[in-house]
Amino acid sequence: MSALRQRPVPTRGRGGDPRAQQPPPPPPMQEIYNIIPVHDLLADHPSHRYPEVRAVSAALLRPTLNLPKPPFVSWDPRMDLMDWLGVSFGFQNDNVRNQREHLVLHLANSQMRLQPPPTNPDELDPTVLRGFRKKLLQNYTLWCSFLGVKPHLHLSTRRSNSNDLIRELLYVSLYLLIWGEAGNLRFCPELLSYIFHHMAMELNKVLEEHIDEFTGRPYVPSISGDCAFLKCIVMPFYRTIKTEVESSRNGTAPHSAWRNYDDINEYFWSKRCFRSLKWPIDYGSNFFDTAPKNVRVGKTGFVEQRSFWNVFRSFDRLWILLILFFQASIIVAWTETKYPWDALARRDVQVELLTVFITWAGLRLVQSVLDAGTQYSLVSRETLWLGIRMVLKSMAALTWIVVFAVFYKRIWSQKNADGQWSREANGRILTFLEVVFVFVIPELLSLLLFVIPWVRNWIEGLDWMVVSWLTWWFHTRVFVGRGLREGLVDNIRYTLFWVVVLIWKFLFSYFLQIKPLVAPTKALLKISIIKYNWHQFFGSSNIIAVALLWIPVVLMYLVDLSIWYSVFSSFVGATIGLFSHLGEIRSMEQLRLRFQFFASAMQFNLMPEDQLLSPKATLVKKLRDAIHLLKLRYGLGQPYKKIESSQVEATRFALIWNEIVISLREEDLISDREVELMELPPNCWNIRVIRWPCVLLCNELLLALSQAKELADAPDIWLWLKICKNEYGRCSVIEAYDSVKYLLLKIVKYGTEEYSIVLKLFQEIDLYVQEGNLTSAFKMAVLPKIHDKLASLVDLLVKQKNDHSQAVNLLQALYELFIREFPKMKRSIAQLREGGLAPRNPGTDEGLLFENAINFPDAEDADFYKQLRRLQTILTSKDSMHNVPLNLEARRRIAFFSNSLFMNMPHAPNVEKMMAFSVLTPYYDEEVLYKKGMLQDENEDGISTLFYLQKIYEDEWMNFMERMRREGMDDDDDIWKMKLRDLRLWASYRGQTLSRTVRGMMYYYRALKMLSFLDSASEMDIRTGTQEISSHLSLNRNRGLGDGIKPPTGKKLGRAVSGVSLLFKGHEYGCALMKFTYVVTCQLYGRQKARGESHAEEILYLMKMNEALRVAYVDEVQLGRDEVEYYSVLVKYDQELQREVEIYRIRLPGPLKLGEGKPENQNHAIIFTRGDAIQTIDMNQDNYFEEALKMRNLLEEFKTNYGIRKPTILGVRENVFTGSVSSLAWFMSAQETSFVTLGQRVLANPLKVRMHYGHPDVFDRFWFLTRGGISKASRVINISEDIFAGFNCTLRGGNVTHHEYIQVGKGRDVGLNQISMFEAKVASGNGEQVLSRDVYRLGHRLDFFRMFSFFYTTVGHYFNTMLVVLTVYTFLWGRLYFALSGVEREAMNNSVSNEALGAILNQQFIIQLGLFTALPMVVENSLEHGFLPAVWDFLKMQLQLASFFFTFSMGTRSHFFGRTILHGGAKYRATGRGFVVEHKSFAENYRLYARSHFVKAIELGVILAVYAFHSPLAKDSFVYIAMTISSWFLVVSWIMSPFVFNPSGFDWLKTVYDFDDFMNWLWYKGGVFTEADKSWEIWWYEEQGHLRTTGLWGKLLEIILDLRFFFFQYGLVYQLNIADGKTSIAVYLLSWIYMIVAVGIYVVIAYAQDKYAAKQHIYYRIVQLVVTILTVLVIVLMLEFTKLSFLDLVRSLMAFIPTGWGLISIAQVLRPFLQSTVVWDTVVSLARLYDLLFGVIVIAPVALLSWLPGFQSMQTRILFNEGFSRGLQISRILTGKKSVE
């Protein structure tokens, strides 16, 4: 080390000679910046108006004057703390720049939020910095405490120490710089803590001016120079991880054979890391890849072993409970008393129940053996005590078994000796119970700590050695999983939930599963002599029969808890939803009733209130808010006092509401006319009331007129009260009157006599109204006539005909009506003249009145005509307008948004005071924008994507065309020339494209700008602003958009602005940018740019259109000699320079992808995100403007305690937007919706086990970035990367909540093949989770009931699905055994109630397959849309064969879950996100589903057929149907679903072509590079790939499972007539001759084909003829001379075909031994024949249904019914008969 310090020699380890370095150039003034120009505080940027930004920048710059200057570097005075650290420790320059902006932004935002504000805003507040340091370094200090190491944070205890401020700045900066350059090491948070620990130590030595003991000079850090940190620290660790990943053989090697990210990280959970790695790092340590594999450090902390036993090992407490209860139930039920308590009163039963403790001890032994068997490789010289504990635990369990057995034996021996339960015998029972007490002491202790959770949390939080010694026996001491207990209230809630579920389950199991089976079991055991149909190996015992009887019941007993969980959670979730006020506004009609409170609710929730000085909400204030919300919700009191247009709040509401309406119009969800009907126009025309949207006023005026007619003679007050009963009625009457008054005075020339008459008329009416004498002075019956004339006049003006004579006639008629008919008292002409109501000059009578007094309005006055159209609507609308807007999605969104404002949510702060946040979207290579060709190209049915979209989104297409015409398109055919980009965008916004996601997320930016304006706008700004917006919009709508108006900042945003953005003053942009960043991590963008791909151009377009969008990508720089450097690059589009600019370029230690792709992609870009929170958004998501308004409310949730902790993940509700595409998409979206709403709601509250499933979840960014990031990335084990973020969060003491007042859109797969691939991916991911350390630790560290919740909502759900399928299997195999063995016949003769038994089991299947899986869906639907619509939807689903789909997907899940646990092979499956209108070929379906569904269904079908043939029970067809109907349903749905849900699945021609294609694929020989979709052989080898990577146990289990196929032959050969009733073993052995002969014949023919078929064809034919003749001859002879019958031939097919399949399956497992022999070719060719046979069996029913007339149209109806109900003519689509417009 001394040499290193004395002479900095350029070596690989040092990263270059610091003296040779050029001094860093001074930062240029025009440096490219990301969000704020931190380097130039004088720049004209909106963010610089905030003193907080200047304060933090100054705090970084000031202290550098006093810091020791780094040697060999010329110092620039403009350099700050960050630069000093960068130079001192060898960080990259761009990393320093990036983290400088990161720190400045964060601290400035935090200081803005301070309450009360700091006294000096121009200085960084120490409390802000201290709070940030504590949060950022919390994990580091916990780690130090855990290891018993003193943290290297040298801070004084005194509060106001200026030196501390510098130190704290240096510590947080150092951590951020380490994190920012760590690359893949960010997945290892404790490794980062180790690095920080030592670098902070060196930093302290530099600051405290230590003298280096080796050189005698001032201390310098051990690493410095260009890129030194990356090369000397990061790269050695990176290379080690890379070497380990390479040894995993792309994830196919067993997990136990290599170290993943978790193993690397967990090495730093013990003090040995300090001894082994040292500092400066010892690169020769056996931790690094430089050490040989045999001496290198192995797995750390946990070994992932592939076995089903993991389910027991991780959740042993759950299985122990179920097993012990099952044993106790059998003991009690065996007595056959009516009620269990009768049996429990007997002393014999009580003593027998004590055997559960022997079982319990036995299960402990199993657990300890499993621990030793899976974790033995963790034992090394350093971890010797671990091995000792494993041995001791097994010995202790064995001892307990022996002790219990001895004491139990003593009880019975005493009782038998005494002949009764004597005192001595009872004494021995007490002794036994004393032993039990000692045994359960640990359980009693944990029960006590369960009741007082805070004590347990406190003990686990202590890092005392005493505690670790005391807990050593129970578990290994690990850094995570400590203090996970919840508060007492939460504890009680989820305990109550599970107690109720368990009581119900145990009652059900005892009375309906276990007790009914006792009698049949006893009867079976009593049958002493059974005449078996075959050779019985185990004497005449019926044990096998009894076991087969019980196995399905036992499996169902284990499974049904998940069913009861599903039932109870549905009702609990619905109850919570009700109390959360979900679904109260479901339709536009309900919104109409509440709209007048809606404005106040919006003001209450979305607008910040004046902040009081005390930051904490007092109890009184909380109570007042609750009461206020209650009044709003139920319209009580007057909280909504009719907000008239004079009030600024109403105008503010109008601004927000209108902006929402504009956004709906921009998305083409509503038409221009609907915009006018829905918007809230600003006050004009001197109208005295709030001008509600026309939708609400609809027919109110006509109703008021009819009321006036009815109450013609009643006093004014009565009439007015009746009208005022409805707020909208009152407003429509006043608005109509004021508007007519304004209109008439506008079109009658000012200064004419007519004008004064009209004015006088209105004055007279006003006077009568004031005096309350209107009805007594005027005839109300005349009002309809006046109304008709007014309507005609308005209609004339709206049409802009300017027909002068007609206008004069109408005005004259109105005048006549008013003068002659309307008043009750007639007045003479003289009286009228006197009152100013008739022309003074008699000469005027010669011409018509009004002839020269009409002044038509200017045709260009768009605003006037807009108001006129509104008046026309109010006057003439008879429609109740329930169908406005017409679009279902627009209605759903408005209903959800309005409903959410009446739900409980935190108050919104000012935008300046809100938490800042980022959105991060990983993108690989999916569609950005649909290309022209993709929209135009037609599929085989003649359908283009655009045509399909036009039909499915018909109303949206019409709205789009209307908008295009408004924007200057003359002819509809010009759309491909003039408006191609708009067309591509329109289509892309209806798919699952990046452009849709970006548009959705940029609504946050738009919403924040608007809210920022409203926060700071004065009353005057808002009032005048609404007028300005209104006139601008009406101008656009009348004439098409002009050039657009630039926002005040002068930035060209490339699109015409609308709405509130016209009013911005400039600061809104800076404010929004400081609070929101959107980073899309386009991993391949650099490569796409270099190749000139269209994707790169489209991404650039998105950046150009969205100024807050940033794109991060990985750049590969070739250095020659095969050397490549990798960089994380961040770019943006510079609006001033009008080009893309590079902001940061940070070098990576090597290739990005070591683990799973998506988390690695997120991880490289996370350093470019900003803010306190980060929302993870996937590429198939969308967002809505109105939802973005609530984001600042949501972020306030981080400040609220949920239970005993503040949240670290905020769960957000999703809305699946792909449901309208087809019935399949609808099923999927309904299932997904119930999972992401009701399911997540219950998980978060009351169960407290919500992890991270939905992508829109919002993470506490700084909490996660110091704890391993927002996902885990180890290869294969973390294939479901997202949920591991939730596991990690829970284990590290985080808290996950769920909030349903805000939603984000999500797309789902829409075709069966896409859905199946997605389900396969998720099921495989769950299979890997079972093996993971996270699941094991949660299973052991969570308390008993949370562990239940965790199991049944994660891996347990998939495990139980697999058990359900296994139950069907065991049930059917059991029936087959009964039928073929003869047990069933004997049982019937001895009247064992088999029928009852079959019925019991059948109930179970119906429960699982049918109703209860759909229950959460129905309950959630009822909550949000009403009970009857939910039931109707459910019935519609059943008619569209939803049960087929759900049963089919159950098969997918169980197949892939089981296969993954047994053999591995989990992989990421790209599902594709396109629209599914094309027909999938039979060959493709066969490839996808042959092994997971078809073969299994055929196996079950064969069992059912054989059973029907041989069972005496099946003779009674009703009993047979009742017992097997659900099994047949499973078989049919597994075979038929891929065709039922395949467009044109039953088209006869397509079926014929499909079969030809299948045969071509089957017999295609293929070459070296042929793919699976071209050749059967390639596919066949790929399908068995998992058998090559599986371990020895996996292969053994596979062979054992394949042995079942031989049972058919064993059972059936004895049933053949040729067997002649013999039961000798010889019959079975002789039957193998048939197999050998059959294979021999096949081999001979195959040999002849290979040798002669090509050149000597005649020989081949001769061989065929000879073989055929011989075979026929042998069969004829046997039929003649033996008892062989023709029926035997059919039966023998059932017997021998499964045997052949079993042999092939076993041969596949033994492939390594067989592949080099002659046998293998025979296996391959036989396997091909079997696939041909299976293909024929599967396609036969499809062909039959295709041949039947009318079936194809019915299937189309089933598949696309949702589209039909929205006017979709899909039959025309599918046959390509496009209608000619």
Side-chain angles (χ1 to χ4, degrees), residues 299 310 323 372 411 528 571 592 656 742 926 955 1011 1050 1076 1138 1418 1456 1510 1532 1604 1696:
K299 296 288 284 183
N310 283 304
I323 290 165
I411 295 172
S528 51
F571 292 116
R592 198 181 152 187
I656 299 175
Y742 180 89
E926 298 89 343
D955 50 346
L1011 292 170
F1076 169 72
Q1138 289 290 299
V1418 177
F1456 285 99
H1510 292 286
V1532 172
R1604 71 183 186 276
F1696 295 115

Side-chain angles (χ1 to χ4, degrees), residues 1662-1728:
I1662 289 167
V1663 171
Q1664 277 183 321
L1665 183 68
V1666 170
V1667 168
T1668 308
I1669 290 169
L1670 279 172
T1671 308
V1672 171
L1673 194 64
V1674 169
I1675 290 171
V1676 168
L1677 288 170
M1678 289 179 76
L1679 284 168
E1680 186 63 34
F1681 297 109
T1682 67
K1683 292 191 176 178
L1684 183 74
S1685 66
F1686 186 73
L1687 204 59
D1688 281 358
L1689 295 175
V1690 179
R1691 284 184 187 173
S1692 58
L1693 283 176
M1694 290 286 202
F1696 295 115
I1697 287 174
T1699 305
W1701 181 246
L1703 287 169
I1704 289 169
S1705 303
I1706 291 171
Q1708 287 178 348
V1709 180
L1710 301 175
R1711 178 178 160 192
F1713 308 107
L1714 299 177
Q1715 197 161 8
S1716 53
T1717 65
V1718 178
V1719 180
W1720 188 248
D1721 290 340
T1722 311
V1723 170
V1724 175
S1725 50
L1726 272 173
R1728 181 184 271 113

Side-chain angles (χ1 to χ4, degrees), residues 928-939:
V928 182
L929 268 177
Y930 290 139
K931 296 169 188 60
K932 180 181 178 182
M934 187 180 167
L935 296 180
Q936 281 181 321
D937 293 348
E938 297 181 346
N939 68 4

Side-chain angles (χ1 to χ4, degrees), residues 1034-1096:
S1034 43
L1035 200 74
N1036 283 346
R1037 242 169 244 131
N1038 279 15
R1039 296 185 307 183
L1041 284 169
D1043 300 332
I1045 300 165
K1046 291 180 183 177
T1049 49
K1051 292 192 175 184
K1052 293 176 190 167
L1053 290 180
R1055 69 159 85 79
V1057 282
S1058 65
V1060 185
S1061 49
L1062 293 164
L1063 314 178
F1064 291 167
K1065 301 169 179 174
H1067 71 84
E1068 296 86 357
Y1069 296 88
C1071 189
L1073 280 169
M1074 282 186 71
K1075 298 296 176 182
F1076 169 72
T1077 323
Y1078 185 26
V1079 179
V1080 178
T1081 162
C1082 305
Q1083 195 175 330
L1084 304 178
Y1085 180 57
R1087 205 180 293 173
Q1088 289 165 341
K1089 276 198 296 187
R1091 292 176 183 166
E1093 290 180 21
S1094 59
H1095 279 355

Side-chain angles (χ1 to χ4, degrees), residues 89 129 150 165 181 286 379 784 875 925 1279 1310 1443 1449 1608 1668:
F89 290 96
L129 183 56
K150 195 168 184 298
L165 190 75
E181 211 168 312
N286 67 345
V379 181
L875 286 175
D925 197 19
I1279 193 163
V1310 293
S1443 293
S1449 70
F1608 284 101
T1668 308

Side-chain angles (χ1 to χ4, degrees), residues 225-290:
D226 183 33
C227 245
F229 175 73
L230 182 78
K231 290 174 182 171
C232 306
I233 305 294
V234 179
M235 280 187 175
F237 287 106
Y238 172 85
R239 278 195 299 270
T240 301
I241 298 169
K242 188 164 181 267
T243 305
E244 294 287 350
V245 170
E246 282 163 359
S247 71
S248 79
R249 302 198 302 275
N250 197 23
T252 58
H255 293 303
S256 53
W258 58 285
R259 289 183 292 171
N260 55 34
Y261 280 120
D262 283 333
D263 291 305
I264 298 289
N265 185 51
E266 288 178 22
Y267 185 74
F268 296 88
W269 288 3
S270 73
K271 273 190 169 175
R272 62 178 169 164
C273 62
F274 291 97
R275 295 193 298 274
S276 167
L277 293 175
K278 308 184 178 67
W279 190 273
I281 285 172
D282 174 11
Y283 304 121
S285 160
N286 67 345
F287 175 85
F288 292 107
D289 63 325
T290 47

Side-chain angles (χ1 to χ4, degrees), residues 785-846:
K785 289 186 184 175
I786 297 174
H787 169 264
D788 291 345
K789 296 295 177 195
L790 280 171
S792 305
L793 178 65
V794 171
D795 185 52
L796 180 75
L797 292 170
V798 164
K799 287 177 179 165
Q800 296 188 12
K801 287 184 180 171
N802 292 7
D803 186 333
H804 189 269
S805 61
Q806 199 178 344
V808 170
N809 289 341
L810 283 167
L811 284 171
Q812 184 72 37
L814 275 167
Y815 176 71
E816 289 296 325
L817 273 172
F818 194 83
I819 297 304
R820 303 268 179 263
E821 293 184 39
F822 196 34
K824 285 187 177 174
M825 259 177 62
K826 295 280 181 284
R827 285 186 276 187
S828 65
I829 200 83
Q831 285 172 315
L832 289 170
R833 279 192 187 134
E834 193 182 325
L837 295 175
R840 295 240 172 232
N841 182 3
T844 326
D845 294 348
E846 293 167 14

